[in-house]
mmCIF file of all heavy atoms in Angstrom:
data_model
loop_
_atom_site.group_PDB
_atom_site.id
_atom_site.type_symbol
_atom_site.label_atom_id
_atom_site.label_comp_id
_atom_site.label_asym_id
_atom_site.label_seq_id
_atom_site.Cartn_x
_atom_site.Cartn_y
_atom_site.Cartn_z
ATOM 1 N N LEU A 1 1.464 10.181 -8.839
ATOM 2 C CA LEU A 1 0.099 10.101 -8.562
ATOM 3 C C LEU A 1 -0.686 10.086 -10.092
ATOM 4 O O LEU A 1 -1.514 9.284 -10.191
ATOM 5 C CB LEU A 1 -0.332 11.304 -7.741
ATOM 6 C CG LEU A 1 -1.821 11.266 -7.227
ATOM 7 C CD1 LEU A 1 -1.979 10.130 -6.265
ATOM 8 C CD2 LEU A 1 -2.098 12.547 -6.471
ATOM 9 N N SER A 2 -0.204 10.958 -10.960
ATOM 10 C CA SER A 2 -0.925 11.018 -12.236
ATOM 11 C C SER A 2 -0.830 9.703 -12.929
ATOM 12 O O SER A 2 -1.715 9.234 -13.583
ATOM 13 C CB SER A 2 -0.427 12.170 -13.143
ATOM 14 O OG SER A 2 -0.679 13.447 -12.531
ATOM 15 N N ASP A 3 0.335 9.092 -12.992
ATOM 16 C CA ASP A 3 0.581 7.846 -13.650
ATOM 17 C C ASP A 3 -0.304 6.769 -12.892
ATOM 18 O O ASP A 3 -0.895 5.919 -13.767
ATOM 19 C CB ASP A 3 2.078 7.433 -13.573
ATOM 20 C CG ASP A 3 2.311 6.149 -14.133
ATOM 21 O OD1 ASP A 3 2.118 5.913 -15.396
ATOM 22 O OD2 ASP A 3 2.822 5.287 -13.551
ATOM 23 N N LEU A 4 -0.287 6.684 -11.744
ATOM 24 C CA LEU A 4 -1.128 5.682 -10.982
ATOM 25 C C LEU A 4 -2.579 5.794 -11.370
ATOM 26 O O LEU A 4 -3.416 4.921 -11.706
ATOM 27 C CB LEU A 4 -0.956 5.745 -9.503
ATOM 28 C CG LEU A 4 0.367 5.303 -8.904
ATOM 29 C CD1 LEU A 4 0.445 5.677 -7.496
ATOM 30 C CD2 LEU A 4 0.616 3.784 -9.147
ATOM 31 N N GLN A 5 -3.092 7.097 -11.445
ATOM 32 C CA GLN A 5 -4.499 7.407 -11.695
ATOM 33 C C GLN A 5 -4.841 6.887 -13.191
ATOM 34 O O GLN A 5 -5.823 6.373 -13.516
ATOM 35 C CB GLN A 5 -4.861 8.889 -11.569
ATOM 36 C CG GLN A 5 -4.811 9.306 -10.185
ATOM 37 C CD GLN A 5 -4.849 10.916 -9.974
ATOM 38 O OE1 GLN A 5 -4.412 11.558 -10.873
ATOM 39 N NE2 GLN A 5 -5.328 11.344 -8.858
ATOM 40 N N TYR A 6 -3.991 7.229 -14.161
ATOM 41 C CA TYR A 6 -4.037 6.941 -15.553
ATOM 42 C C TYR A 6 -4.178 5.351 -15.691
ATOM 43 O O TYR A 6 -4.990 4.883 -16.413
ATOM 44 C CB TYR A 6 -2.972 7.544 -16.304
ATOM 45 C CG TYR A 6 -3.040 7.050 -17.807
ATOM 46 C CD1 TYR A 6 -3.872 7.624 -18.594
ATOM 47 C CD2 TYR A 6 -2.164 6.171 -18.318
ATOM 48 C CE1 TYR A 6 -3.915 7.342 -20.012
ATOM 49 C CE2 TYR A 6 -2.239 5.758 -19.613
ATOM 50 C CZ TYR A 6 -3.111 6.321 -20.459
ATOM 51 O OH TYR A 6 -3.099 5.998 -21.766
ATOM 52 N N ARG A 7 -3.168 4.652 -14.979
ATOM 53 C CA ARG A 7 -3.082 3.192 -15.142
ATOM 54 C C ARG A 7 -4.082 2.445 -14.424
ATOM 55 O O ARG A 7 -4.405 1.219 -14.913
ATOM 56 C CB ARG A 7 -1.639 2.803 -14.711
ATOM 57 C CG ARG A 7 -0.596 3.310 -15.771
ATOM 58 C CD ARG A 7 0.844 2.885 -15.281
ATOM 59 N NE ARG A 7 0.998 1.586 -15.142
ATOM 60 C CZ ARG A 7 1.975 1.091 -14.309
ATOM 61 N NH1 ARG A 7 2.731 1.837 -13.558
ATOM 62 N NH2 ARG A 7 1.964 -0.292 -14.290
ATOM 63 N N LEU A 8 -4.520 2.935 -13.271
ATOM 64 C CA LEU A 8 -5.215 2.025 -12.410
ATOM 65 C C LEU A 8 -6.844 2.302 -12.148
ATOM 66 O O LEU A 8 -7.507 1.406 -11.912
ATOM 67 C CB LEU A 8 -4.637 2.001 -11.014
ATOM 68 C CG LEU A 8 -3.121 1.558 -11.034
ATOM 69 C CD1 LEU A 8 -2.628 1.575 -9.518
ATOM 70 C CD2 LEU A 8 -2.936 0.123 -11.581
ATOM 71 N N ILE A 9 -7.158 3.525 -12.408
ATOM 72 C CA ILE A 9 -8.560 3.877 -12.124
ATOM 73 C C ILE A 9 -9.459 3.114 -13.135
ATOM 74 O O ILE A 9 -9.157 3.014 -14.360
ATOM 75 C CB ILE A 9 -8.949 5.361 -12.273
ATOM 76 C CG1 ILE A 9 -8.255 6.020 -11.030
ATOM 77 C CG2 ILE A 9 -10.311 5.629 -12.415
ATOM 78 C CD1 ILE A 9 -8.502 7.502 -10.835
ATOM 79 N N GLY A 10 -10.494 2.373 -12.587
ATOM 80 C CA GLY A 10 -11.295 1.528 -13.484
ATOM 81 C C GLY A 10 -10.881 0.097 -13.652
ATOM 82 O O GLY A 10 -11.536 -0.607 -14.386
ATOM 83 N N ARG A 11 -9.673 -0.228 -13.224
ATOM 84 C CA ARG A 11 -9.032 -1.463 -13.323
ATOM 85 C C ARG A 11 -9.185 -2.263 -12.108
ATOM 86 O O ARG A 11 -8.983 -1.721 -10.996
ATOM 87 C CB ARG A 11 -7.501 -1.381 -13.883
ATOM 88 C CG ARG A 11 -7.370 -0.370 -14.943
ATOM 89 C CD ARG A 11 -7.187 -0.904 -16.257
ATOM 90 N NE ARG A 11 -6.629 -2.150 -16.541
ATOM 91 C CZ ARG A 11 -5.374 -2.271 -17.138
ATOM 92 N NH1 ARG A 11 -4.602 -1.339 -17.270
ATOM 93 N NH2 ARG A 11 -5.035 -3.680 -17.355
ATOM 94 N N GLU A 12 -9.069 -3.585 -12.323
ATOM 95 C CA GLU A 12 -9.050 -4.425 -10.981
ATOM 96 C C GLU A 12 -7.689 -4.627 -10.750
ATOM 97 O O GLU A 12 -6.767 -4.980 -11.406
ATOM 98 C CB GLU A 12 -9.836 -5.843 -11.347
ATOM 99 C CG GLU A 12 -9.840 -6.645 -10.065
ATOM 100 C CD GLU A 12 -10.720 -7.863 -10.218
ATOM 101 O OE1 GLU A 12 -11.778 -7.691 -10.974
ATOM 102 O OE2 GLU A 12 -10.448 -8.901 -9.647
ATOM 103 N N VAL A 13 -7.450 -4.445 -9.416
ATOM 104 C CA VAL A 13 -6.059 -4.744 -8.687
ATOM 105 C C VAL A 13 -6.145 -5.691 -7.568
ATOM 106 O O VAL A 13 -7.286 -5.953 -7.059
ATOM 107 C CB VAL A 13 -5.493 -3.311 -8.299
ATOM 108 C CG1 VAL A 13 -5.276 -2.325 -9.381
ATOM 109 C CG2 VAL A 13 -6.460 -2.617 -7.111
ATOM 110 N N SER A 14 -5.107 -6.194 -7.178
ATOM 111 C CA SER A 14 -4.975 -6.990 -5.922
ATOM 112 C C SER A 14 -4.189 -6.205 -4.952
ATOM 113 O O SER A 14 -3.179 -5.614 -5.317
ATOM 114 C CB SER A 14 -4.293 -8.308 -6.276
ATOM 115 O OG SER A 14 -4.134 -9.148 -5.176
ATOM 116 N N ILE A 15 -4.779 -6.170 -3.745
ATOM 117 C CA ILE A 15 -4.114 -5.340 -2.600
ATOM 118 C C ILE A 15 -3.845 -6.327 -1.423
ATOM 119 O O ILE A 15 -4.708 -7.050 -1.028
ATOM 120 C CB ILE A 15 -5.126 -4.266 -2.180
ATOM 121 C CG1 ILE A 15 -5.090 -3.066 -3.264
ATOM 122 C CG2 ILE A 15 -4.616 -3.630 -0.802
ATOM 123 C CD1 ILE A 15 -6.017 -1.967 -2.982
ATOM 124 N N THR A 16 -2.547 -6.183 -1.015
ATOM 125 C CA THR A 16 -2.185 -6.949 0.152
ATOM 126 C C THR A 16 -1.937 -6.074 1.375
ATOM 127 O O THR A 16 -1.239 -5.028 1.089
ATOM 128 C CB THR A 16 -0.945 -7.848 -0.166
ATOM 129 O OG1 THR A 16 -1.205 -8.729 -1.235
ATOM 130 C CG2 THR A 16 -0.563 -8.753 1.025
ATOM 131 N N TYR A 17 -2.342 -6.381 2.412
ATOM 132 C CA TYR A 17 -2.116 -5.656 3.625
ATOM 133 C C TYR A 17 -2.108 -6.447 4.926
ATOM 134 O O TYR A 17 -2.616 -7.589 4.960
ATOM 135 C CB TYR A 17 -3.185 -4.460 3.827
ATOM 136 C CG TYR A 17 -4.611 -4.950 3.958
ATOM 137 C CD1 TYR A 17 -5.122 -5.035 5.375
ATOM 138 C CD2 TYR A 17 -5.406 -5.170 2.904
ATOM 139 C CE1 TYR A 17 -6.425 -5.449 5.449
ATOM 140 C CE2 TYR A 17 -6.716 -5.584 3.075
ATOM 141 C CZ TYR A 17 -7.190 -5.704 4.417
ATOM 142 O OH TYR A 17 -8.614 -6.137 4.719
ATOM 143 N N PRO A 18 -1.409 -6.008 6.071
ATOM 144 C CA PRO A 18 -1.289 -6.812 7.263
ATOM 145 C C PRO A 18 -2.533 -6.686 8.081
ATOM 146 O O PRO A 18 -3.210 -5.618 7.989
ATOM 147 C CB PRO A 18 -0.119 -6.225 7.918
ATOM 148 C CG PRO A 18 -0.057 -4.926 7.536
ATOM 149 C CD PRO A 18 -0.607 -4.782 6.017
ATOM 150 N N ASN A 19 -3.000 -7.746 8.639
ATOM 151 C CA ASN A 19 -4.148 -7.887 9.423
ATOM 152 C C ASN A 19 -3.626 -7.436 10.971
ATOM 153 O O ASN A 19 -2.867 -8.202 11.533
ATOM 154 C CB ASN A 19 -4.667 -9.270 9.510
ATOM 155 C CG ASN A 19 -5.893 -9.351 10.457
ATOM 156 O OD1 ASN A 19 -6.589 -8.349 10.726
ATOM 157 N ND2 ASN A 19 -6.298 -10.552 10.896
ATOM 158 N N TYR A 20 -3.986 -6.159 11.240
ATOM 159 C CA TYR A 20 -3.535 -5.654 12.616
ATOM 160 C C TYR A 20 -4.645 -4.668 13.045
ATOM 161 O O TYR A 20 -5.419 -4.158 12.315
ATOM 162 C CB TYR A 20 -2.294 -5.139 12.645
ATOM 163 C CG TYR A 20 -2.088 -3.777 12.167
ATOM 164 C CD1 TYR A 20 -1.919 -2.683 12.990
ATOM 165 C CD2 TYR A 20 -2.015 -3.534 10.740
ATOM 166 C CE1 TYR A 20 -1.884 -1.386 12.423
ATOM 167 C CE2 TYR A 20 -1.892 -2.323 10.331
ATOM 168 C CZ TYR A 20 -1.857 -1.188 11.009
ATOM 169 O OH TYR A 20 -1.780 0.090 10.594
ATOM 170 N N TRP A 21 -4.561 -4.332 14.472
ATOM 171 C CA TRP A 21 -5.597 -3.390 14.868
ATOM 172 C C TRP A 21 -4.953 -2.351 15.512
ATOM 173 O O TRP A 21 -3.921 -2.558 16.310
ATOM 174 C CB TRP A 21 -6.544 -4.089 15.737
ATOM 175 C CG TRP A 21 -7.660 -3.233 16.196
ATOM 176 C CD1 TRP A 21 -8.795 -2.850 15.666
ATOM 177 C CD2 TRP A 21 -7.582 -2.524 17.616
ATOM 178 N NE1 TRP A 21 -9.575 -1.916 16.542
ATOM 179 C CE2 TRP A 21 -8.839 -1.795 17.638
ATOM 180 C CE3 TRP A 21 -6.801 -2.487 18.596
ATOM 181 C CZ2 TRP A 21 -9.176 -0.960 18.716
ATOM 182 C CZ3 TRP A 21 -7.214 -1.698 19.761
ATOM 183 C CH2 TRP A 21 -8.355 -0.964 19.797
ATOM 184 N N THR A 22 -5.451 -1.087 15.560
ATOM 185 C CA THR A 22 -4.976 0.076 16.364
ATOM 186 C C THR A 22 -6.143 0.824 16.770
ATOM 187 O O THR A 22 -7.165 0.935 16.050
ATOM 188 C CB THR A 22 -4.031 0.969 15.494
ATOM 189 O OG1 THR A 22 -3.677 2.123 16.239
ATOM 190 C CG2 THR A 22 -4.505 1.431 14.138
ATOM 191 N N PRO A 23 -6.008 1.575 18.021
ATOM 192 C CA PRO A 23 -7.237 2.342 18.529
ATOM 193 C C PRO A 23 -7.320 3.563 17.599
ATOM 194 O O PRO A 23 -8.491 4.170 17.718
ATOM 195 C CB PRO A 23 -6.691 2.657 19.963
ATOM 196 C CG PRO A 23 -5.514 1.945 20.248
ATOM 197 C CD PRO A 23 -5.085 1.303 19.023
ATOM 198 N N LEU A 24 -6.412 3.910 16.874
ATOM 199 C CA LEU A 24 -6.552 5.080 16.013
ATOM 200 C C LEU A 24 -7.518 4.739 14.737
ATOM 201 O O LEU A 24 -8.129 5.678 14.254
ATOM 202 C CB LEU A 24 -5.266 5.607 15.375
ATOM 203 C CG LEU A 24 -4.274 6.124 16.343
ATOM 204 C CD1 LEU A 24 -2.970 6.442 15.669
ATOM 205 C CD2 LEU A 24 -4.820 7.311 17.092
ATOM 206 N N ASP A 25 -7.710 3.492 14.506
ATOM 207 C CA ASP A 25 -8.647 3.022 13.529
ATOM 208 C C ASP A 25 -9.451 1.807 14.077
ATOM 209 O O ASP A 25 -9.345 0.762 13.673
ATOM 210 C CB ASP A 25 -7.855 2.628 12.231
ATOM 211 C CG ASP A 25 -8.767 2.097 11.106
ATOM 212 O OD1 ASP A 25 -9.998 2.583 11.090
ATOM 213 O OD2 ASP A 25 -8.314 1.278 10.343
ATOM 214 N N TRP A 26 -10.250 2.209 15.065
ATOM 215 C CA TRP A 26 -10.915 1.173 15.995
ATOM 216 C C TRP A 26 -11.808 0.330 15.082
ATOM 217 O O TRP A 26 -12.153 -0.859 15.486
ATOM 218 C CB TRP A 26 -11.625 1.913 17.100
ATOM 219 C CG TRP A 26 -12.691 2.858 16.541
ATOM 220 C CD1 TRP A 26 -12.563 4.202 16.237
ATOM 221 C CD2 TRP A 26 -14.039 2.561 16.190
ATOM 222 N NE1 TRP A 26 -13.742 4.800 15.812
ATOM 223 C CE2 TRP A 26 -14.593 3.766 15.769
ATOM 224 C CE3 TRP A 26 -14.855 1.376 16.250
ATOM 225 C CZ2 TRP A 26 -16.048 3.819 15.307
ATOM 226 C CZ3 TRP A 26 -16.116 1.488 15.864
ATOM 227 C CH2 TRP A 26 -16.709 2.690 15.378
ATOM 228 N N ASN A 27 -12.404 0.862 13.845
ATOM 229 C CA ASN A 27 -13.239 -0.001 13.111
ATOM 230 C C ASN A 27 -12.555 -0.678 11.888
ATOM 231 O O ASN A 27 -13.272 -1.125 10.975
ATOM 232 C CB ASN A 27 -14.520 0.832 12.609
ATOM 233 C CG ASN A 27 -14.234 1.995 11.848
ATOM 234 O OD1 ASN A 27 -13.017 2.268 11.580
ATOM 235 N ND2 ASN A 27 -15.166 2.658 11.293
ATOM 236 N N SER A 28 -11.290 -0.603 11.886
ATOM 237 C CA SER A 28 -10.517 -1.207 10.847
ATOM 238 C C SER A 28 -10.961 -0.857 9.448
ATOM 239 O O SER A 28 -11.092 -1.726 8.514
ATOM 240 C CB SER A 28 -10.398 -2.801 10.984
ATOM 241 O OG SER A 28 -9.854 -3.229 12.243
ATOM 242 N N ARG A 29 -10.953 0.399 9.241
ATOM 243 C CA ARG A 29 -11.395 0.960 7.923
ATOM 244 C C ARG A 29 -10.226 1.408 7.051
ATOM 245 O O ARG A 29 -10.441 1.499 5.802
ATOM 246 C CB ARG A 29 -12.328 2.119 8.157
ATOM 247 C CG ARG A 29 -13.089 2.575 6.853
ATOM 248 C CD ARG A 29 -14.252 3.496 7.160
ATOM 249 N NE ARG A 29 -14.712 3.912 5.969
ATOM 250 C CZ ARG A 29 -14.307 5.116 5.273
ATOM 251 N NH1 ARG A 29 -13.406 5.882 5.908
ATOM 252 N NH2 ARG A 29 -14.706 5.526 4.170
ATOM 253 N N ILE A 30 -9.166 1.611 7.633
ATOM 254 C CA ILE A 30 -7.997 2.293 6.879
ATOM 255 C C ILE A 30 -6.861 1.171 6.979
ATOM 256 O O ILE A 30 -6.522 0.751 8.036
ATOM 257 C CB ILE A 30 -7.454 3.544 7.427
ATOM 258 C CG1 ILE A 30 -8.593 4.547 7.468
ATOM 259 C CG2 ILE A 30 -6.298 4.124 6.734
ATOM 260 C CD1 ILE A 30 -8.382 5.859 8.256
ATOM 261 N N HIS A 31 -6.256 0.759 5.777
ATOM 262 C CA HIS A 31 -5.365 -0.233 5.720
ATOM 263 C C HIS A 31 -3.908 0.178 5.105
ATOM 264 O O HIS A 31 -4.076 0.794 4.055
ATOM 265 C CB HIS A 31 -5.825 -1.445 5.072
ATOM 266 C CG HIS A 31 -7.035 -1.969 5.725
ATOM 267 N ND1 HIS A 31 -7.062 -2.689 6.920
ATOM 268 C CD2 HIS A 31 -8.473 -2.030 5.299
ATOM 269 C CE1 HIS A 31 -8.275 -3.035 7.144
ATOM 270 N NE2 HIS A 31 -9.093 -2.586 6.227
ATOM 271 N N HIS A 32 -2.911 -0.098 5.787
ATOM 272 C CA HIS A 32 -1.534 0.084 5.254
ATOM 273 C C HIS A 32 -1.271 -0.843 4.020
ATOM 274 O O HIS A 32 -1.174 -2.036 4.318
ATOM 275 C CB HIS A 32 -0.470 -0.006 6.311
ATOM 276 C CG HIS A 32 0.922 0.165 5.791
ATOM 277 N ND1 HIS A 32 1.567 1.266 5.729
ATOM 278 C CD2 HIS A 32 1.768 -0.747 5.520
ATOM 279 C CE1 HIS A 32 2.739 1.228 5.177
ATOM 280 N NE2 HIS A 32 2.923 -0.042 5.047
ATOM 281 N N LEU A 33 -1.118 -0.377 2.832
ATOM 282 C CA LEU A 33 -1.086 -1.367 1.709
ATOM 283 C C LEU A 33 0.452 -1.782 1.645
ATOM 284 O O LEU A 33 1.354 -1.022 1.781
ATOM 285 C CB LEU A 33 -1.457 -0.420 0.581
ATOM 286 C CG LEU A 33 -1.628 -1.105 -0.725
ATOM 287 C CD1 LEU A 33 -2.556 -0.297 -1.676
ATOM 288 C CD2 LEU A 33 -0.288 -1.310 -1.622
ATOM 289 N N SER A 34 0.628 -3.071 1.551
ATOM 290 C CA SER A 34 1.866 -3.716 1.518
ATOM 291 C C SER A 34 2.375 -4.121 0.047
ATOM 292 O O SER A 34 3.438 -4.099 -0.198
ATOM 293 C CB SER A 34 1.969 -4.930 2.428
ATOM 294 O OG SER A 34 1.657 -4.521 3.746
ATOM 295 N N ARG A 35 1.295 -4.342 -0.677
ATOM 296 C CA ARG A 35 1.566 -4.824 -2.043
ATOM 297 C C ARG A 35 0.450 -4.423 -3.021
ATOM 298 O O ARG A 35 -0.831 -4.566 -2.526
ATOM 299 C CB ARG A 35 1.809 -6.265 -2.169
ATOM 300 C CG ARG A 35 2.062 -6.784 -3.613
ATOM 301 C CD ARG A 35 2.184 -8.373 -3.778
ATOM 302 N NE ARG A 35 3.517 -8.702 -3.249
ATOM 303 C CZ ARG A 35 3.743 -9.953 -2.916
ATOM 304 N NH1 ARG A 35 2.894 -10.888 -3.262
ATOM 305 N NH2 ARG A 35 4.861 -10.289 -2.341
ATOM 306 N N LEU A 36 0.740 -3.914 -4.116
ATOM 307 C CA LEU A 36 -0.316 -3.466 -5.088
ATOM 308 C C LEU A 36 -0.010 -4.142 -6.394
ATOM 309 O O LEU A 36 1.113 -4.018 -7.003
ATOM 310 C CB LEU A 36 -0.416 -1.993 -5.289
ATOM 311 C CG LEU A 36 -1.318 -1.381 -6.380
ATOM 312 C CD1 LEU A 36 -2.691 -1.634 -5.988
ATOM 313 C CD2 LEU A 36 -1.111 0.209 -6.490
ATOM 314 N N GLN A 37 -0.875 -4.836 -6.972
ATOM 315 C CA GLN A 37 -0.569 -5.611 -8.148
ATOM 316 C C GLN A 37 -1.804 -5.448 -9.325
ATOM 317 O O GLN A 37 -2.970 -5.549 -8.825
ATOM 318 C CB GLN A 37 -0.624 -7.200 -7.841
ATOM 319 C CG GLN A 37 0.117 -8.067 -8.722
ATOM 320 C CD GLN A 37 0.488 -9.397 -8.285
ATOM 321 O OE1 GLN A 37 0.577 -9.631 -7.046
ATOM 322 N NE2 GLN A 37 0.599 -10.331 -9.094
ATOM 323 N N LEU A 38 -1.383 -5.282 -10.373
ATOM 324 C CA LEU A 38 -2.288 -5.123 -11.515
ATOM 325 C C LEU A 38 -2.015 -6.331 -12.435
ATOM 326 O O LEU A 38 -0.938 -6.457 -13.099
ATOM 327 C CB LEU A 38 -1.996 -3.909 -12.314
ATOM 328 C CG LEU A 38 -2.846 -3.702 -13.595
ATOM 329 C CD1 LEU A 38 -4.331 -3.665 -13.291
ATOM 330 C CD2 LEU A 38 -2.443 -2.394 -14.333
ATOM 331 N N GLY A 39 -2.839 -7.479 -12.401
ATOM 332 C CA GLY A 39 -2.661 -8.595 -13.103
ATOM 333 C C GLY A 39 -1.340 -9.292 -12.538
ATOM 334 O O GLY A 39 -1.279 -9.418 -11.429
ATOM 335 N N GLU A 40 -0.457 -9.399 -13.420
ATOM 336 C CA GLU A 40 0.903 -10.121 -12.901
ATOM 337 C C GLU A 40 1.936 -8.932 -12.585
ATOM 338 O O GLU A 40 2.917 -9.265 -12.068
ATOM 339 C CB GLU A 40 1.425 -10.936 -14.168
ATOM 340 C CG GLU A 40 0.536 -12.247 -14.442
ATOM 341 C CD GLU A 40 0.410 -13.209 -13.128
ATOM 342 O OE1 GLU A 40 1.370 -13.433 -12.527
ATOM 343 O OE2 GLU A 40 -0.693 -13.525 -12.926
ATOM 344 N N GLU A 41 1.629 -7.810 -12.932
ATOM 345 C CA GLU A 41 2.584 -6.712 -12.697
ATOM 346 C C GLU A 41 2.468 -6.178 -11.260
ATOM 347 O O GLU A 41 1.407 -5.723 -10.795
ATOM 348 C CB GLU A 41 2.217 -5.611 -13.671
ATOM 349 C CG GLU A 41 3.223 -4.387 -13.433
ATOM 350 C CD GLU A 41 2.845 -3.089 -14.265
ATOM 351 O OE1 GLU A 41 1.846 -3.110 -14.958
ATOM 352 O OE2 GLU A 41 3.619 -2.161 -14.178
ATOM 353 N N ILE A 42 3.574 -6.230 -10.580
ATOM 354 C CA ILE A 42 3.621 -5.620 -9.207
ATOM 355 C C ILE A 42 3.916 -4.182 -9.239
ATOM 356 O O ILE A 42 5.057 -3.763 -9.762
ATOM 357 C CB ILE A 42 4.581 -6.448 -8.329
ATOM 358 C CG1 ILE A 42 4.085 -7.876 -8.168
ATOM 359 C CG2 ILE A 42 4.657 -5.690 -7.034
ATOM 360 C CD1 ILE A 42 5.012 -8.699 -7.350
ATOM 361 N N ILE A 43 2.974 -3.223 -8.992
ATOM 362 C CA ILE A 43 3.177 -1.833 -8.935
ATOM 363 C C ILE A 43 3.942 -1.345 -7.784
ATOM 364 O O ILE A 43 4.839 -0.565 -7.927
ATOM 365 C CB ILE A 43 1.792 -1.032 -8.974
ATOM 366 C CG1 ILE A 43 0.858 -1.707 -10.073
ATOM 367 C CG2 ILE A 43 1.902 0.333 -8.979
ATOM 368 C CD1 ILE A 43 1.241 -1.287 -11.544
ATOM 369 N N TYR A 44 3.713 -1.975 -6.612
ATOM 370 C CA TYR A 44 4.344 -1.499 -5.309
ATOM 371 C C TYR A 44 4.425 -2.875 -4.454
ATOM 372 O O TYR A 44 3.489 -3.560 -4.405
ATOM 373 C CB TYR A 44 3.513 -0.439 -4.707
ATOM 374 C CG TYR A 44 4.115 -0.089 -3.282
ATOM 375 C CD1 TYR A 44 5.149 0.717 -3.118
ATOM 376 C CD2 TYR A 44 3.507 -0.642 -2.182
ATOM 377 C CE1 TYR A 44 5.727 1.155 -1.944
ATOM 378 C CE2 TYR A 44 4.011 -0.341 -0.870
ATOM 379 C CZ TYR A 44 5.153 0.557 -0.780
ATOM 380 O OH TYR A 44 5.678 0.848 0.423
ATOM 381 N N ASP A 45 5.548 -2.869 -3.824
ATOM 382 C CA ASP A 45 5.746 -4.113 -2.954
ATOM 383 C C ASP A 45 6.688 -3.803 -1.816
ATOM 384 O O ASP A 45 7.881 -3.486 -2.068
ATOM 385 C CB ASP A 45 6.305 -5.323 -3.768
ATOM 386 C CG ASP A 45 6.445 -6.599 -2.935
ATOM 387 O OD1 ASP A 45 5.663 -6.723 -1.877
ATOM 388 O OD2 ASP A 45 6.979 -7.625 -3.369
ATOM 389 N N GLU A 46 6.367 -3.899 -0.577
ATOM 390 C CA GLU A 46 7.235 -3.827 0.435
ATOM 391 C C GLU A 46 7.342 -5.145 1.374
ATOM 392 O O GLU A 46 7.830 -5.151 2.494
ATOM 393 C CB GLU A 46 6.829 -2.634 1.358
ATOM 394 C CG GLU A 46 5.500 -2.745 2.170
ATOM 395 C CD GLU A 46 5.208 -1.566 3.095
ATOM 396 O OE1 GLU A 46 5.609 -0.504 2.703
ATOM 397 O OE2 GLU A 46 4.418 -1.830 3.899
ATOM 398 N N THR A 47 6.939 -6.203 0.652
ATOM 399 C CA THR A 47 6.973 -7.525 1.348
ATOM 400 C C THR A 47 8.183 -8.254 1.096
ATOM 401 O O THR A 47 8.313 -9.395 1.457
ATOM 402 C CB THR A 47 5.711 -8.298 0.844
ATOM 403 O OG1 THR A 47 5.850 -8.662 -0.502
ATOM 404 C CG2 THR A 47 4.423 -7.625 1.199
ATOM 405 N N ASN A 48 9.142 -7.640 0.295
ATOM 406 C CA ASN A 48 10.326 -8.290 -0.039
ATOM 407 C C ASN A 48 10.126 -9.480 -0.870
ATOM 408 O O ASN A 48 10.748 -10.513 -0.754
ATOM 409 C CB ASN A 48 11.315 -8.535 1.145
ATOM 410 C CG ASN A 48 11.680 -7.366 1.761
ATOM 411 O OD1 ASN A 48 11.962 -6.333 1.240
ATOM 412 N ND2 ASN A 48 11.681 -7.315 3.141
#
């Protein structure tokens, strides 16, 4: 968490998430992040 805060707060990132709907989030405000990218660096990726 500390490393992510230091590296990413105030920086532009690219976020990838799946388009799906659930009644627990009826207004689609919360998204399960599948990929997080800072420039060309992939910080997190579960898309294989």
Side-chain angles (χ1 to χ4, degrees):
L1 193 60
S2 296
D3 178 60
L4 290 170
Q5 290 168 334
Y6 175 77
R7 291 174 61 202
L8 301 178
I9 290 180
R11 311 256 334 251
E12 186 167 325
V13 297
S14 175
I15 291 177
T16 303
Y17 61 93
N19 183 20
Y20 79 103
W21 182 84
T22 173
L24 294 176
D25 180 29
W26 60 272
N27 61 353
S28 295
R29 189 168 175 266
I30 303 169
H31 302 287
H32 175 88
L33 191 152
S34 300
R35 181 183 288 165
L36 174 65
Q37 195 166 341
L38 174 65
E40 295 299 315
E41 179 187 4
I42 296 176
I43 307 291
Y44 176 79
D45 186 15
E46 66 179 30
T47 67
N48 299 318

